Amino acid sequence: MKTAEIAKRYLTYFEKNGHTIVPSAPLVSDDPALMFVIAGMVPFIPYLSGDVPAPYKRAADNQKCIRTNDIEEVGKTPRHGTFFQMLGNWSFGDYFKEGAIRYAWELLTSPEADGGLGFDPKDLWVTVYEEDDEAHDLWREIAGLPEERIQRLGKDTNYWSTGLPGPAGPCSEIFFDRGPAYGIDGGPATDDDRYVEIWNLVFMQYEITNVRSKYDFEIVGELPARNVDTGMGLERIAFLKQGVENMYETDQVRPVLDRAVELSGKTYGANHDDDVRFRVVADHVRSSLMLLSDGVTPSNEGRGYILRRLMRRVIRAMRLLGVEGPTFAELFAASRDAMKEAYPIVEIDYPRISQYALAEEATFLRTLAAGSENLDASIAAAKGAGRERIDGAEAFLLHDTYGFPIDLTMEIAEEAGLRVDRDAFDTLMQEQRARAKADARSRKRQLADTSVYRDLRAQGETVFTGYTDLETASTVLGILHHGVPVTRASAGQIVEVILAETALYAESGGQVADKGVIVGPGYELEVIDVQRPVPGLVSHTVEVTSGEVGVDQPATSVVDAVNRRAAQQAHSATHLVHAALRDTLGKSATQTGSLNRAGYLRFDFSWGQALSDATKSEIEEIANVAVRDNLEVTTRVLSLDEAKAAGAMALFGEKYGETVRMVDIGGPWSRELCGGIHVASSAEIGLINVIGESSVGASNRRVEALVGQDAFRELATERAIVAQLTSSLKTPKDQLAARIAQLSANLKAAEKKIAQFEAKALEGRVPALAAAATASGPFRVVTESVGTAASGDDVRTLALQVRERVGADAVIALGAEVSGRPVVIVATGEAARGAGAKAGVLAKAAAAALGGGGGGRDDVAQGGGTDAAALPAALRAVATALETASA
């Protein structure tokens, strides 16, 4: 049974049983404490916690998930994957334990011919929380399971919570017994791979607080409604129903594994370590494909870093399999073909997806080349010093700076006959992870608890009137001070205020929040920020500037009209720039992010190379022609399917409801889904002035522009600069570029001549410097400061010429000031080196006196620092070190 067929049977079954089928949310989580949807319940958290009323009593879904906390286990067990699909059925205050157990058992054990999954009841075991007699008895009654196949387990396995204050409850898990060939008898309590967990039924009925750990907390009472949250792992069901050994061999994953086998020329099943690598490749390519399809792009932080790590682990695994060249073109195509039946977007959007994937691969292959050079140097240094291993700090530097995988470092070192100090490396990694986890916990504590908004949200959605009104009379529903509900706030306090209606725009879709005030009888509040802490609720962060505000008082939200108009201009201008980019570059130039504030826009888009000046000018002109043509801006609210059918662009990673707001500028020329504020016609934008274009990561570019009055002021400033230049240079403005280029060329030529004169002057000092050589043991030594020099290369040339004249026993140390910084060049003759004078060692001694670093080869080396006044001391340090070398 194919994976897509299993999902179809699941959703069909629950739809027949009165469940609303909910589309999968994007992998990118709305929860600020989470980067990704890590479990099927994440999109339903506001409903499960009661913060937001559920729009349905019962639902079912197939939710895409990404989880990387067990990334090191991928490929080693039959069930660990970074991307997985979680089938779930949900009850919000409707059925509870009996219904959940009955539905699960019926679907699992009904014959395939009747639409079920066809599991043999004798192969199924269940676990229940040790104190949950009700669930135990229901399994006996509904499923007829014998006592020995119902196991009672403790909180560590059969009590669900997030590890934070909020909802919790006992759970019951269903396991499939793979048979004695896979492990010992004894049921799920043996924690053996023989028993595969396939379904978890969470009976969410309590609210917990004082959470000391995931399993140590206090129950403070029942939730407002008892809920059911279930999750059945689609990949686990698939590998059991398809009769294969693990999830990596199922129909949605195996094609990538097979292609990796073909590219490597190795055999799957012949070597354990290679098999793990093949499975890592198959899993991570699919995960990367799905993350890219949901708008995540590779970067060095956040979600983009997770994606980058997955992709680089693929490259590392393929390299360890013997493939050093690019492979993503074939591996990602194989994953696309395996996933497109379930997720058609991966085929539709594949040109963009593959652009990012191939660019990331090319970048990391270059990184590996750079890291290899540094690793080769470390290996040479270790061997030269007679060491048998590479220091853990060096390996960590390769990993942290170059992204060079430790496994690859160890493999290359082993080929060279060396070991890596893995313990030291692991210690540094643990310290880094501890810092990251502490930071994550801090953010989670600050952002995760939204239960304080539950009662406010229960009163209904905040009505936003700002599309048509700049002032709206309303009522204060609630006030929060430091996250705690209060009844009043007085002058000087900063609090959150919740209104029943508001004209103030909450930050979203790249548009920053409105500025403005909230006024009422005897008080005024300055609006600092406007956000949506939970879906449907708008919170205003305000400073009470006068009077005292209280709950249930009248309140009028007043938008700063000047700021709003400028923000509208910027947001509409962003749509025009987007359309102009697609006109110029093609449909693959899609938006990946934006920021709109009064007078300014920033627009990120997928593109693999810098834009030429001509292209930037063309984009700017197309956008301004649209402004000139005074295109009508219209908005319509319609269903998501209707909007997509009309050609509206949806942004990757954005979550849309069943109804959406579609914004047209000039009809279909610019048609996007957008909840932001816009002008009524394009002429109101005034002017768009593109001021910059830059890279923001592999295959990602950024355009910045000023809009309206800000754009005019920038052009006026540039006009004043041009006028000043034409006056100073006595050159017409149309000839300024050529005149400045000529002056620049003349300046470079003059600097070159000066450098030549300085080099010749230095060269003229060779005889005198050579004559100044003094005997010191077996050496003839010159330690002199030569003043200033144009470059370190000039000083190096001088030192080599003096060494040649002095002879084989020469030790030359010349100091100079180059661009305000001290430099010492040390050159040694062959006989001097034989007697112990190593230039690299001497240069390091000089650099220490200069407050910097240095080193190099035995025959010539360089040291430098920051304190030019210390050059005499640096040269004395060379002489002292030389005396030690000859002792």
Side-chain angles (χ1 to χ4, degrees), residues 578-623:
H578 190 186
L581 276 164
R582 289 168 65 81
D583 265 7
T584 306
L585 303 178
K587 303 305 180 187
S588 62
T590 52
Q591 179 175 347
T592 59
S594 68
L595 173 68
N596 314 288
R597 63 169 184 259
Y600 170 86
L601 72 86
R602 187 182 75 203
F603 185 84
D604 297 346
F605 61 101
S606 54
W607 197 249
Q609 59 191 31
L611 304 184
S612 67
D613 290 340
T615 300
K616 285 184 284 188
S617 294
E618 183 179 0
I619 292 165
E620 185 178 54
E621 183 173 357
I622 291 172

Short mmCIF file of all heavy atoms in Angstrom, two decimals, residues 578-623:
data_model
loop_
_atom_site.label_atom_id
_atom_site.label_comp_id
_atom_site.label_asym_id
_atom_site.label_seq_id
_atom_site.Cartn_x
_atom_site.Cartn_y
_atom_site.Cartn_z
N HIS A 578 7.83 44.00 -7.02
CA HIS A 578 7.73 42.55 -7.22
C HIS A 578 7.29 42.23 -8.66
O HIS A 578 7.88 41.39 -9.35
CB HIS A 578 6.74 41.96 -6.21
CG HIS A 578 6.75 40.46 -6.17
ND1 HIS A 578 5.85 39.72 -5.42
CD2 HIS A 578 7.55 39.54 -6.79
CE1 HIS A 578 6.12 38.43 -5.57
NE2 HIS A 578 7.12 38.30 -6.40
N ALA A 579 6.25 42.91 -9.10
CA ALA A 579 5.76 42.68 -10.47
C ALA A 579 6.82 43.07 -11.50
O ALA A 579 7.00 42.38 -12.51
CB ALA A 579 4.47 43.47 -10.69
N ALA A 580 7.52 44.18 -11.26
CA ALA A 580 8.56 44.62 -12.19
C ALA A 580 9.71 43.61 -12.24
O ALA A 580 10.28 43.34 -13.31
CB ALA A 580 9.08 46.00 -11.78
N LEU A 581 10.08 43.06 -11.09
CA LEU A 581 11.12 42.03 -11.05
C LEU A 581 10.73 40.82 -11.88
O LEU A 581 11.53 40.28 -12.66
CB LEU A 581 11.37 41.60 -9.61
CG LEU A 581 12.33 42.46 -8.78
CD1 LEU A 581 12.16 42.15 -7.30
CD2 LEU A 581 13.76 42.19 -9.20
N ARG A 582 9.49 40.39 -11.74
CA ARG A 582 9.04 39.20 -12.48
C ARG A 582 8.93 39.50 -13.96
O ARG A 582 9.19 38.64 -14.80
CB ARG A 582 7.72 38.70 -11.90
CG ARG A 582 7.91 38.07 -10.53
CD ARG A 582 6.59 37.83 -9.82
NE ARG A 582 5.75 36.84 -10.49
CZ ARG A 582 5.89 35.53 -10.37
NH1 ARG A 582 6.87 35.04 -9.61
NH2 ARG A 582 5.08 34.70 -10.98
N ASP A 583 8.55 40.73 -14.30
CA ASP A 583 8.53 41.13 -15.72
C ASP A 583 9.94 41.06 -16.31
O ASP A 583 10.12 40.64 -17.45
CB ASP A 583 8.00 42.57 -15.84
CG ASP A 583 6.51 42.59 -16.12
OD1 ASP A 583 5.88 41.52 -16.09
OD2 ASP A 583 5.98 43.69 -16.38
N THR A 584 10.92 41.49 -15.53
CA THR A 584 12.29 41.62 -16.03
C THR A 584 13.06 40.31 -15.97
O THR A 584 13.76 39.93 -16.92
CB THR A 584 13.04 42.68 -15.21
OG1 THR A 584 12.28 43.90 -15.21
CG2 THR A 584 14.42 42.94 -15.79
N LEU A 585 12.93 39.59 -14.84
CA LEU A 585 13.76 38.40 -14.60
C LEU A 585 13.04 37.10 -14.88
O LEU A 585 13.68 36.05 -15.04
CB LEU A 585 14.25 38.39 -13.15
CG LEU A 585 15.04 39.63 -12.69
CD1 LEU A 585 15.40 39.49 -11.22
CD2 LEU A 585 16.29 39.82 -13.54
N GLY A 586 11.72 37.12 -14.90
CA GLY A 586 10.97 35.89 -15.11
C GLY A 586 10.25 35.46 -13.85
O GLY A 586 10.43 36.02 -12.76
N LYS A 587 9.42 34.43 -13.98
CA LYS A 587 8.54 34.01 -12.88
C LYS A 587 9.27 33.36 -11.72
O LYS A 587 8.71 33.18 -10.64
CB LYS A 587 7.48 33.02 -13.42
CG LYS A 587 6.63 33.58 -14.55
CD LYS A 587 5.95 34.88 -14.17
CE LYS A 587 5.10 35.43 -15.31
NZ LYS A 587 4.55 36.77 -15.01
N SER A 588 10.53 32.96 -11.92
CA SER A 588 11.26 32.31 -10.83
C SER A 588 11.75 33.32 -9.79
O SER A 588 12.21 32.93 -8.71
CB SER A 588 12.44 31.51 -11.37
OG SER A 588 13.36 32.36 -12.04
N ALA A 589 11.68 34.62 -10.10
CA ALA A 589 12.09 35.66 -9.14
C ALA A 589 10.93 35.91 -8.18
O ALA A 589 10.17 36.86 -8.32
CB ALA A 589 12.47 36.94 -9.87
N THR A 590 10.79 35.02 -7.18
CA THR A 590 9.66 35.10 -6.27
C THR A 590 10.08 35.69 -4.93
O THR A 590 11.22 35.55 -4.50
CB THR A 590 9.05 33.71 -6.04
OG1 THR A 590 10.08 32.81 -5.65
CG2 THR A 590 8.40 33.20 -7.30
N GLN A 591 9.12 36.30 -4.28
CA GLN A 591 9.38 36.97 -3.00
C GLN A 591 9.74 35.97 -1.92
O GLN A 591 9.10 34.93 -1.77
CB GLN A 591 8.15 37.76 -2.58
CG GLN A 591 8.30 38.49 -1.25
CD GLN A 591 7.10 39.37 -0.93
OE1 GLN A 591 6.28 39.62 -1.80
NE2 GLN A 591 7.00 39.82 0.30
N THR A 592 10.78 36.28 -1.14
CA THR A 592 11.15 35.46 0.02
C THR A 592 11.07 36.24 1.32
O THR A 592 11.29 35.68 2.38
CB THR A 592 12.57 34.88 -0.15
OG1 THR A 592 13.50 35.95 -0.31
CG2 THR A 592 12.64 33.97 -1.36
N GLY A 593 10.78 37.51 1.24
CA GLY A 593 10.65 38.31 2.46
C GLY A 593 10.51 39.78 2.09
O GLY A 593 10.85 40.19 0.97
N SER A 594 9.99 40.58 3.01
CA SER A 594 9.87 42.01 2.74
C SER A 594 9.71 42.78 4.05
O SER A 594 9.37 42.21 5.08
CB SER A 594 8.65 42.30 1.83
OG SER A 594 7.44 42.03 2.52
N LEU A 595 9.98 44.05 3.96
CA LEU A 595 9.74 44.98 5.07
C LEU A 595 9.24 46.27 4.47
O LEU A 595 9.84 46.81 3.54
CB LEU A 595 11.01 45.22 5.88
CG LEU A 595 10.90 46.30 6.97
CD1 LEU A 595 9.98 45.82 8.09
CD2 LEU A 595 12.26 46.66 7.54
N ASN A 596 8.12 46.75 4.98
CA ASN A 596 7.56 48.02 4.51
C ASN A 596 7.32 48.92 5.71
O ASN A 596 6.65 48.54 6.66
CB ASN A 596 6.20 47.79 3.82
CG ASN A 596 6.23 46.64 2.84
OD1 ASN A 596 6.82 46.74 1.79
ND2 ASN A 596 5.60 45.53 3.22
N ARG A 597 7.91 50.09 5.65
CA ARG A 597 7.62 51.09 6.67
C ARG A 597 7.51 52.43 5.95
O ARG A 597 7.81 52.54 4.76
CB ARG A 597 8.69 51.12 7.75
CG ARG A 597 10.06 51.52 7.27
CD ARG A 597 11.00 51.77 8.46
NE ARG A 597 12.30 52.24 8.01
CZ ARG A 597 13.38 51.49 7.93
NH1 ARG A 597 13.30 50.20 8.25
NH2 ARG A 597 14.53 52.00 7.52
N ALA A 598 7.10 53.43 6.67
CA ALA A 598 6.87 54.73 6.06
C ALA A 598 8.09 55.19 5.27
O ALA A 598 9.16 55.38 5.82
CB ALA A 598 6.53 55.76 7.14
N GLY A 599 7.92 55.34 3.95
CA GLY A 599 8.97 55.89 3.09
C GLY A 599 10.03 54.91 2.64
O GLY A 599 10.95 55.29 1.91
N TYR A 600 9.95 53.62 3.04
CA TYR A 600 11.03 52.68 2.75
C TYR A 600 10.47 51.29 2.49
O TYR A 600 9.49 50.87 3.13
CB TYR A 600 11.98 52.63 3.94
CG TYR A 600 13.02 51.52 3.88
CD1 TYR A 600 14.22 51.69 3.20
CD2 TYR A 600 12.78 50.29 4.51
CE1 TYR A 600 15.16 50.67 3.15
CE2 TYR A 600 13.73 49.27 4.47
CZ TYR A 600 14.92 49.47 3.78
OH TYR A 600 15.85 48.46 3.73
N LEU A 601 11.10 50.60 1.55
CA LEU A 601 10.76 49.19 1.34
C LEU A 601 12.02 48.37 1.16
O LEU A 601 13.03 48.84 0.63
CB LEU A 601 9.82 49.01 0.14
CG LEU A 601 10.38 49.21 -1.28
CD1 LEU A 601 11.03 47.93 -1.84
CD2 LEU A 601 9.26 49.66 -2.21
N ARG A 602 11.94 47.15 1.64
CA ARG A 602 13.00 46.16 1.46
C ARG A 602 12.35 44.90 0.92
O ARG A 602 11.39 44.40 1.51
CB ARG A 602 13.68 45.88 2.80
CG ARG A 602 14.91 44.99 2.71
CD ARG A 602 15.47 44.73 4.10
NE ARG A 602 14.66 43.78 4.84
CZ ARG A 602 14.63 43.69 6.16
NH1 ARG A 602 15.32 44.54 6.89
NH2 ARG A 602 13.87 42.79 6.75
N PHE A 603 12.87 44.40 -0.19
CA PHE A 603 12.22 43.27 -0.85
C PHE A 603 13.26 42.20 -1.15
O PHE A 603 14.23 42.44 -1.87
CB PHE A 603 11.57 43.75 -2.16
CG PHE A 603 10.76 42.70 -2.86
CD1 PHE A 603 9.45 42.45 -2.49
CD2 PHE A 603 11.32 41.92 -3.88
CE1 PHE A 603 8.70 41.47 -3.12
CE2 PHE A 603 10.58 40.95 -4.51
CZ PHE A 603 9.27 40.72 -4.13
N ASP A 604 13.08 41.01 -0.59
CA ASP A 604 13.99 39.88 -0.83
C ASP A 604 13.35 38.93 -1.84
O ASP A 604 12.13 38.66 -1.76
CB ASP A 604 14.27 39.12 0.46
CG ASP A 604 14.98 39.97 1.51
OD1 ASP A 604 15.48 41.05 1.14
OD2 ASP A 604 15.02 39.56 2.68
N PHE A 605 14.16 38.41 -2.75
CA PHE A 605 13.61 37.54 -3.79
C PHE A 605 14.65 36.49 -4.20
O PHE A 605 15.85 36.65 -3.97
CB PHE A 605 13.19 38.37 -5.02
CG PHE A 605 14.32 39.13 -5.67
CD1 PHE A 605 14.93 38.66 -6.83
CD2 PHE A 605 14.78 40.32 -5.12
CE1 PHE A 605 15.97 39.35 -7.42
CE2 PHE A 605 15.82 41.03 -5.72
CZ PHE A 605 16.42 40.55 -6.87
N SER A 606 14.16 35.40 -4.73
CA SER A 606 15.03 34.30 -5.13
C SER A 606 15.70 34.63 -6.46
O SER A 606 15.04 34.84 -7.48
CB SER A 606 14.23 33.00 -5.26
OG SER A 606 13.13 33.16 -6.12
N TRP A 607 17.03 34.69 -6.43
CA TRP A 607 17.81 34.97 -7.64
C TRP A 607 19.26 34.65 -7.33
O TRP A 607 19.73 34.93 -6.22
CB TRP A 607 17.65 36.42 -8.09
CG TRP A 607 18.07 36.65 -9.52
CD1 TRP A 607 19.15 37.35 -9.97
CD2 TRP A 607 17.42 36.15 -10.68
NE1 TRP A 607 19.20 37.33 -11.34
CE2 TRP A 607 18.15 36.60 -11.81
CE3 TRP A 607 16.28 35.37 -10.90
CZ2 TRP A 607 17.78 36.29 -13.12
CZ3 TRP A 607 15.92 35.06 -12.19
CH2 TRP A 607 16.66 35.52 -13.28
N GLY A 608 19.97 34.10 -8.27
CA GLY A 608 21.29 33.56 -7.99
C GLY A 608 22.46 34.46 -8.29
O GLY A 608 23.61 34.06 -8.07
N GLN A 609 22.24 35.67 -8.80
CA GLN A 609 23.38 36.52 -9.14
C GLN A 609 23.00 37.99 -9.00
O GLN A 609 21.82 38.34 -8.97
CB GLN A 609 23.83 36.24 -10.58
CG GLN A 609 22.75 36.49 -11.63
CD GLN A 609 23.14 35.95 -13.00
OE1 GLN A 609 23.85 34.97 -13.10
NE2 GLN A 609 22.68 36.60 -14.04
N ALA A 610 24.02 38.84 -8.92
CA ALA A 610 23.78 40.27 -8.77
C ALA A 610 23.11 40.83 -10.03
O ALA A 610 23.33 40.35 -11.15
CB ALA A 610 25.10 40.99 -8.52
N LEU A 611 22.28 41.85 -9.84
CA LEU A 611 21.63 42.50 -10.96
C LEU A 611 22.56 43.55 -11.56
O LEU A 611 23.23 44.29 -10.83
CB LEU A 611 20.32 43.16 -10.51
CG LEU A 611 19.28 42.27 -9.82
CD1 LEU A 611 18.02 43.08 -9.54
CD2 LEU A 611 18.96 41.04 -10.66
N SER A 612 22.59 43.61 -12.86
CA SER A 612 23.39 44.64 -13.52
C SER A 612 22.74 46.00 -13.31
O SER A 612 21.55 46.10 -12.97
CB SER A 612 23.49 44.35 -15.02
OG SER A 612 22.22 44.48 -15.63
N ASP A 613 23.52 47.05 -13.52
CA ASP A 613 22.96 48.41 -13.40
C ASP A 613 21.81 48.62 -14.37
O ASP A 613 20.81 49.26 -14.03
CB ASP A 613 24.06 49.45 -13.65
CG ASP A 613 25.09 49.50 -12.53
OD1 ASP A 613 24.76 49.03 -11.41
OD2 ASP A 613 26.21 49.99 -12.77
N ALA A 614 21.96 48.05 -15.55
CA ALA A 614 20.90 48.20 -16.56
C ALA A 614 19.61 47.52 -16.10
O ALA A 614 18.51 48.06 -16.28
CB ALA A 614 21.37 47.62 -17.90
N THR A 615 19.75 46.33 -15.49
CA THR A 615 18.57 45.60 -15.01
C THR A 615 17.90 46.36 -13.86
O THR A 615 16.67 46.47 -13.81
CB THR A 615 18.97 44.19 -14.56
OG1 THR A 615 19.54 43.49 -15.65
CG2 THR A 615 17.76 43.42 -14.05
N LYS A 616 18.71 46.89 -12.95
CA LYS A 616 18.12 47.66 -11.84
C LYS A 616 17.37 48.88 -12.37
O LYS A 616 16.27 49.20 -11.88
CB LYS A 616 19.23 48.10 -10.87
CG LYS A 616 19.76 46.97 -9.99
CD LYS A 616 20.78 47.46 -8.98
CE LYS A 616 22.12 47.71 -9.62
NZ LYS A 616 23.18 48.01 -8.65
N SER A 617 17.95 49.53 -13.36
CA SER A 617 17.28 50.71 -13.94
C SER A 617 15.98 50.31 -14.62
O SER A 617 14.97 51.02 -14.54
CB SER A 617 18.21 51.39 -14.95
OG SER A 617 19.33 51.93 -14.30
N GLU A 618 16.00 49.15 -15.28
CA GLU A 618 14.78 48.70 -15.97
C GLU A 618 13.67 48.39 -14.96
O GLU A 618 12.51 48.76 -15.17
CB GLU A 618 15.10 47.44 -16.78
CG GLU A 618 13.90 46.92 -17.59
CD GLU A 618 14.24 45.70 -18.41
OE1 GLU A 618 15.40 45.23 -18.36
OE2 GLU A 618 13.33 45.18 -19.09
N ILE A 619 14.03 47.72 -13.86
CA ILE A 619 13.04 47.40 -12.82
C ILE A 619 12.47 48.69 -12.23
O ILE A 619 11.25 48.82 -12.05
CB ILE A 619 13.69 46.53 -11.73
CG1 ILE A 619 14.02 45.15 -12.30
CG2 ILE A 619 12.79 46.42 -10.50
CD1 ILE A 619 14.96 44.34 -11.44
N GLU A 620 13.35 49.64 -11.94
CA GLU A 620 12.91 50.92 -11.38
C GLU A 620 11.99 51.65 -12.35
O GLU A 620 10.96 52.22 -11.94
CB GLU A 620 14.14 51.77 -11.06
CG GLU A 620 13.83 53.08 -10.34
CD GLU A 620 15.10 53.83 -10.03
OE1 GLU A 620 15.89 54.08 -10.97
OE2 GLU A 620 15.31 54.20 -8.87
N GLU A 621 12.32 51.61 -13.63
CA GLU A 621 11.50 52.32 -14.63
C GLU A 621 10.13 51.66 -14.77
O GLU A 621 9.11 52.36 -14.84
CB GLU A 621 12.21 52.33 -15.98
CG GLU A 621 11.43 53.10 -17.04
CD GLU A 621 12.20 53.27 -18.34
OE1 GLU A 621 13.36 52.84 -18.41
OE2 GLU A 621 11.61 53.83 -19.29
N ILE A 622 10.09 50.31 -14.81
CA ILE A 622 8.79 49.64 -14.95
C ILE A 622 7.89 49.98 -13.77
O ILE A 622 6.70 50.26 -13.93
CB ILE A 622 9.01 48.11 -15.04
CG1 ILE A 622 9.67 47.74 -16.36
CG2 ILE A 622 7.69 47.36 -14.89
CD1 ILE A 622 10.10 46.29 -16.46
N ALA A 623 8.47 49.98 -12.55
CA ALA A 623 7.67 50.29 -11.36
C ALA A 623 7.16 51.73 -11.41
O ALA A 623 6.00 52.00 -11.08
CB ALA A 623 8.50 50.05 -10.10
#
